Amino acid sequence: MSSTSRVAVVTGGSRGIGRAVTRRLAAAGYDVAVVHAVNQAEAAAAVKEIEVVGRVGRAYQADVADASVIEQVFGSIEEQFGGTDVVVNSAGIMPLAPVAALDLAVLDRLLRTNVRGAFVVAQQAARRVRDGGAVVLFSSTATRLHLPAYGAYAATKGAVEALVPVLAKELAGRNITVNAVAPGPTATDLFLDGKSQEAIDQIARANPMGRLGTPEEIAEVVRTLADRARWINGQTVFVNGGFA
């Protein structure tokens, strides 16, 4: 592969919003490295979708919170693709419980994946993204909705929002943008899991648009931040149909 090819790294890229992001970036001309945690079959399917549109895709299995493994993965991506231009961290977990009832072991898992994982990926992005590139992290509209049972999850996403403008300023002079995307309720397995159809319909009706978002709608915003919207930097962009 030529070192002049545009290369994107997408964590959590085998399912849900991350999978839609890999498709959208591939369609925009990026070769894509898909970083996934467990599901090798889904990751392989994501790579096939990248290849269908004529781009190069490769899958890498890693825990985003494992700094040494993520460093090795980014090193392999540089060797195999020639460099990195865009890093998107969509890996995350969303166990829900009221603050009074939350098992602190669950809190530790949330902090490890959603905060440490985002930081580890952002750290590698800061070290490796080529000048003129972009870093896109994921927050959530849950930071504004203040819904019961979302306290721990929203707290982890608030940490991501705090990180973004700091990193944007630290990368000054390199023409690298750093932003977060904060989706509202979106029709993914992560969001739908454990919810009754009645609860899903109620959430959809509460949105001014009368429905849930789609992964493709979120992916389009990520694609825009990747290389089109160069004057958006250090921001959290809420993509929620007016939900909050």
Side-chain angles (χ1 to χ4, degrees):
M1 281 167 283
S2 168
S3 62
T4 60
S5 297
R6 292 185 299 172
V7 178
V9 179
V10 182
T11 72
S14 65
R15 300 180 64 194
I17 292 173
R19 178 79 163 267
V21 169
T22 66
R23 288 194 298 267
R24 186 64 190 88
L25 291 178
Y30 286 85
D31 296 330
V32 185
V34 179
V35 181
H36 67 102
V38 176
N39 198 319
Q40 294 182 351
E42 291 288 352
V47 168
K48 289 290 186 184
E49 291 173 347
I50 295 163
E51 294 173 342
V52 162
V53 297
R55 305 312 308 173
V56 177
R58 283 203 171 100
Y60 302 83
Q61 187 170 4
D63 171 3
V64 291
D66 189 325
S68 62
V69 171
I70 289 297
E71 183 176 15
Q72 291 171 8
V73 165
F74 270 81
S76 295
I77 291 167
E78 276 194 354
E79 291 176 4
Q80 295 168 359
F81 286 85
T84 302
D85 300 286
V86 174
V87 172
V88 180
N89 184 62
S90 67
I93 60 174
M94 192 174 67
L96 303 177
V99 171
L102 183 70
D103 186 331
L104 292 183
V106 175
L107 177 63
D108 289 341
R109 285 201 303 118
L110 269 163
L111 292 169
R112 176 177 170 77
T113 299
N114 293 3
V115 180
R116 179 185 167 92
F119 193 96
V120 167
V121 172
Q123 185 175 68
Q124 287 301 312
R127 293 171 178 174
R128 297 179 184 270
V129 168
R130 291 186 281 213
D131 290 0
V135 181
V136 182
L137 306 181
F138 267 77
S139 179
S140 169
T141 295
T143 60
R144 288 188 173 182
L145 295 177
H146 312 139
L147 295 173
Y150 279 79
Y153 175 73
T156 66
K157 293 305 184 178
V160 172
E161 291 184 21
L163 171 63
V164 161
V166 174
L167 184 56
K169 291 180 179 179
E170 290 179 350
L171 297 181
R174 294 179 55 192
N175 192 29
I176 296 172
T177 62
V178 183
N179 294 290
V181 172
T186 305
T188 65
D189 290 343
L190 181 68
F191 177 76
L192 299 175
D193 185 42
K195 294 182 176 68
S196 67
Q197 188 59 51
E198 180 182 2
I200 294 167
D201 291 343
Q202 184 178 8
I203 293 168
R205 287 193 299 269
N207 192 294
M209 303 295 285
R211 62 177 178 84
L212 300 180
T214 68
E216 290 71 24
E217 288 169 320
I218 311 304
E220 184 61 34
V221 176
V222 174
R223 186 267 181 273
T224 298
L225 293 173
D227 59 25
R228 289 174 171 172
R230 302 304 300 174
W231 201 235
I232 300 177
N233 191 22
Q235 307 301 311
T236 297
V237 181
F238 286 82
V239 189
N240 55 37
F243 202 81

